[in-house]
Every structure is written in C-alpha cells, then in structure tokens.
Amino acid sequence: MIQYQDIFKIGHNDISPEKGYLLISEPFMMDVYFHRSVVLLVDHNEKGSMGFVLNKKTNLLVNSYFEGINDVSPIPIYLGGPVLSNHLYFIHSLGDNIPNSVKIDDNLYFDGDFDSLLHYISGGNSIDGKVKFFLGYSGWSENQLNGEIQQNSWLVSKYSSIRNIMLAEGDSFWKHSVESVGGVYKNWVNYPKDVILN
C-alpha cells in the first residue's frame, strides 16, 4: 500500500555526514524527538554517531538547578535526544575558557568542565549565542545513521553560523535549514505536518 508521504518523497542529498555537520529530518518523520528536527553531529566515525537536536526547546531552565546563576538571564534547556535523557550536556564556542572541552571544529566545542562554565556564567559573562544546553543526546550505532540517510530520513548540511545553532528553536529553524540546502528541498517547507489532516 502506498503511504501518503510517498507522494511527497524526495531522495537524500549526496553529502556524507561528518562531525560538525547538520542532519535535517525529512518532513514526515513522526518521532517525538526528530519530527522536523535539526541535529548537530558532535561525533561521527566508524563506531557510530552522536549529536544533539538543536530546535526542541523545553520549559526547563538551567538557572533553576544550579546555585549562583539564579539572577542571570534565563538559560533554556533543549531536548538533545532520547539517549540518557536525564543527563545535561552542552555545546559552546568558548574554547579554552572551558577546560577539557572536546573540539568539534575550530569554532565549536562539546562539553568540558561544568564547574568552570558555571563560574564563567556567575562571573557576569554573557553566554548569549555562545552556549546551548541539552537533556540527553541522539545516538546511532555503527552504520545506523548511514542506513537512515540512504532511506531518505535525513538531509546532510553544513551549519551557517555558530549563533544560528545556539539560538535555533522550533519549526522555523527546521524550515530555514531546509531552505539553505536549496533546490528541490525547498518544497519541503510547504508540506503539511500530517497529510492525512489536510
């Protein structure tokens, strides 16, 4: 039986996933974490892949859980993915200001010494557009992600700027990411979220 989604299906692009690249979900992926999501890959190798969903903001704030940063601007927490969803992770562009950070590329880092980050924030330093927090992460075992790409579940793209990643939220960022890929994929933004309801 032909699914309604098949009428609108467009094959994946031919960009291979790499650390620091984005995964853009196809329009009809219905998973609660990945529906119209954009994932930043923080690691990708022959053993598997790890990333964070960038655009699923929760109602939770970092400020509510740690002393010393209650009086700074609200710091939102995003749903990073279904793996270890009770653990807090972060990406940042602070480089050596946060010891033990894992380098994603020349401008972007993953995790590091959390106490140093809290000290940096409580010291009055702005993290607007520089740090993003996640509950859980998205993970793929060996060859799993490549298989999903071949099944047309994801587009692969480079990110446009650090600030866009840090401030990304909601369907609008998914649409922006699709439009940045261009070509036939621009049509995705016009697809209904659920064709059965239209």
Side-chain angles (χ1 to χ4, degrees):
M1 179 176 167
I2 297 175
Q3 298 291 319
Y4 285 105
Q5 294 96 312
D6 293 341
I7 299 170
F8 301 103
K9 203 71 164 178
I10 297 174
H12 66 87
N13 55 3
D14 292 320
I15 301 175
S16 297
E18 293 183 28
K19 182 168 66 172
Y21 279 34
L22 301 179
L23 302 175
I24 306 166
S25 69
E26 59 94 1
F28 300 113
M29 190 182 294
M30 297 309 295
D31 181 278
V32 65
Y33 285 96
F34 299 128
H35 180 63
R36 300 207 171 192
S37 67
V38 181
V39 177
L40 172 70
L41 285 176
V42 298
D43 198 11
H44 177 74
N45 56 49
E46 66 279 356
K47 295 181 180 179
S49 308
M50 177 183 184
F52 298 106
V53 178
L54 294 171
N55 58 322
K56 305 286 183 177
K57 188 162 82 169
T58 73
N59 294 321
L60 303 174
L61 298 176
V62 176
N63 316 57
S64 303
Y65 299 96
F66 299 97
E67 295 181 2
I69 59 171
N70 298 351
D71 56 348
V72 305
S73 299
I75 306 170
I77 299 174
Y78 291 74
L79 286 177
V83 184
L84 293 179
S85 57
N86 60 341
H87 284 64
L88 190 66
Y89 300 90
F90 62 98
I91 58 172
H92 62 90
S93 59
L94 300 176
D96 293 337
N97 287 307
I98 310 300
N100 303 319
S101 298
V102 178
K103 187 176 181 179
I104 299 171
D105 63 27
D106 289 340
N107 304 302
L108 193 57
Y109 298 80
F110 159 55
D111 270 4
D113 185 75
F114 192 72
D115 288 337
S116 295
L117 178 58
L118 291 180
H119 181 74
Y120 183 88
I121 296 170
S122 63
N125 298 292
S126 172
I127 61 166
D128 181 50
K130 299 175 184 176
V131 182
K132 192 164 194 169
F133 292 88
F134 306 93
L135 277 178
Y137 70 90
S138 303
W140 292 265
S141 59
E142 180 181 359
N143 294 321
Q144 183 183 2
L145 178 57
N146 288 331
E148 291 183 10
I149 291 170
Q150 291 301 316
Q151 293 168 7
N152 303 321
S153 295
W154 303 100
L155 294 179
V156 181
S157 173
K158 295 182 179 180
Y159 67 84
S160 57
S161 74
I162 298 293
R163 188 167 182 82
N164 280 351
I165 286 175
M166 297 300 178
L167 302 180
E169 63 179 74
D171 281 5
S172 61
F173 183 69
W174 177 83
K175 290 177 180 178
H176 169 78
S177 300
V178 170
E179 289 170 344
S180 71
V181 174
V184 294
Y185 302 104
K186 286 185 177 180
N187 294 326
W188 278 12
V189 301
N190 299 316
Y191 292 177
K193 285 190 174 183
D194 188 340
V195 292
I196 296 174
L197 299 179
N198 285 272

